[in-house]
């Protein structure tokens, strides 16, 4: 079984289509059916790695990248739904 450290997936949330490139540390979300230029076309997020020195930061980052789980489709849908409701509510204001 090959250990996958990066995954690209296409999801539909509330009638909108998204492409997500996910690693254990980062997620890049692209809104494929963005309704206009006035909306953001996506977002990126990353995991916070806490450490008290550069060396321990490097070690913790490597552990996350090598052994951290990739997010599930359900986790990605939940995060996108939260972001989408915020993005659409900002337009209403």
């Amino acid at each position: 079984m090959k250990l996958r450290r990066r995954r690209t997936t296409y999801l539909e949330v509330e009638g909108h289509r998204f492409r997500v490139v996910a690693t254990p540390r980062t997620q890049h979300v692209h809104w494929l059916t963005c309704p206009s230029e006035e909306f953001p076309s996506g977002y990126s997020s990353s995991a916070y790695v806490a450490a008290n020195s550069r060396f321990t930061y490097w070690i913790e980052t490597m552990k996350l990248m090598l052994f951290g789980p990739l997010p599930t489709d359900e986790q990605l849908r939940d995060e996108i739904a939260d972001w989408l409701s915020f993005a659409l509510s900002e337009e209403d204001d």
Side-chain angles (χ1 to χ4, degrees):
M1 182 176 152
K2 183 179 177 185
L3 184 63
R4 294 177 50 183
R5 299 289 74 204
R6 177 181 161 162
R7 178 171 67 116
T8 301
T9 187
Y10 293 85
L11 300 171
E12 187 166 325
V13 177
E14 299 177 17
H16 300 278
R17 290 186 38 82
F18 295 89
R19 181 181 73 226
V20 182
V21 179
T23 69
R25 186 168 181 214
T26 62
Q27 298 169 19
H28 301 283
V29 179
H30 305 277
W31 192 354
L32 299 176
T33 56
C34 185
S36 74
E37 292 180 6
E38 298 187 14
F39 288 100
S41 61
Y43 70 94
S44 296
S45 64
S46 61
Y48 178 74
V49 177
N52 57 5
S53 71
R54 287 184 187 176
F55 180 71
T56 56
Y57 174 81
W58 184 80
I59 295 294
E60 293 303 315
T61 300
M62 288 294 104
K63 284 174 24 183
L64 177 63
M65 290 302 293
L66 294 173
F67 306 112
L70 287 170
T72 65
D73 285 354
E74 192 60 39
Q75 290 170 327
L76 293 171
R77 277 191 188 91
D78 290 344
E79 183 177 316
I80 292 170
D82 290 343
W83 174 81
L84 186 60
S85 66
F86 176 77
L88 295 177
S89 70
E90 286 292 306
E91 184 62 26
D92 293 338
D93 292 342

